[in-house]
Amino acid sequence: MEADVPGTVLKRERTRDAVLELIESRSPGDAIPSERALCSLLGVSRPTVRAAVDELVAAGLLVREHGRGMFVAPAKITQELVAGDRALTVPQAAGAWSSRLLEFTTLQAGARVGRKLRMSPAAEIVYVARLRLVDGAPMAIEHLHIRAELVPGLSAQELESGDLYEHLRTTHGVHVHEAVQAIEPTVVTRAEAKLLDVPELSPALLFERLTSDTAGRPVEYVHSLYRGDRYRIVSRLALGPAAEVAPDREGHHPGIPPGDFAHGDAITSSTRGDVQTGV
């Protein structure tokens, strides 16, 4: 499948969301429809369905059993990392970060994204897929889902240059305040490998983030795929009381582009990521 064909990224994204909706509506061990049935149900091609299923199998959400079919995987054990004061400021990342748009459109939220953003499935969102680069080298693929009512007139230029959250604050009056983020290991599909310039099935980090504004209203749902060979996570854990120290201003919070939350807004995580440069 060609990753740069217009509409391809969005088609894969909608297919992935539809299969995820099936998974989330079932219990561990329950069967989901076959790939052939999913093609008919979703009105997409077999390669598109297979790419979505492969991604979810790699993420540990689906299990394939030869001769039997596909089943919802056992529930994952979750360990939450929270700073003692439940808030961190996000430092500026190293390197020159830039973005290249892959998809940019307005569409209905759908059941799964609508549930995350606490809005009607028929309500409109702005969907953005963009390739994130550091010093010109591809680092991550981001899929953003933003409430359309909050960003009328959002432009491609805002998504390709500068700090997106700064654009939301100054241009659209949206003040992001808090983000809840999950991180999991995964591998890249063929299409993702082409965009990231890595071999197929290379290790990667999957980030899912829900960002809220100062009123507690969900603003965006994002899932991002970061190269495992160029990105790592460093967790700073508070194991006991300590003297006050100045915050570390180096590094980059995983999954969040540099400069986001730069105005003192909070994030509910204690993990800190660093871009690896000596790979």
Side-chain angles (χ1 to χ4, degrees), residues 64-96:
R64 275 197 183 102
E65 294 189 13
H66 183 67
R68 295 192 62 220
M70 298 182 295
F71 301 86
V72 178
K76 295 186 178 182
I77 297 172
T78 301
Q79 172 67 62
E80 184 177 2
L81 300 178
V82 181
D85 59 2
R86 299 190 63 83
L88 292 169
T89 56
V90 180
Q92 191 77 8

Side-chain angles (χ1 to χ4, degrees), residues 163-199:
D163 173 5
L164 175 58
Y165 290 164
E166 174 72 9
H167 290 311
L168 293 181
R169 185 177 70 87
T170 59
T171 305
H172 304 280
V174 177
H175 297 259
V176 297
H177 171 65
E178 184 176 80
V180 177
Q181 182 164 265
I183 310 168
E184 297 182 20
T186 187
V187 296
V188 299
T189 64
R190 181 178 302 173
E192 291 164 345
K194 180 178 178 181
L195 287 169
L196 292 174
D197 193 24
V198 296

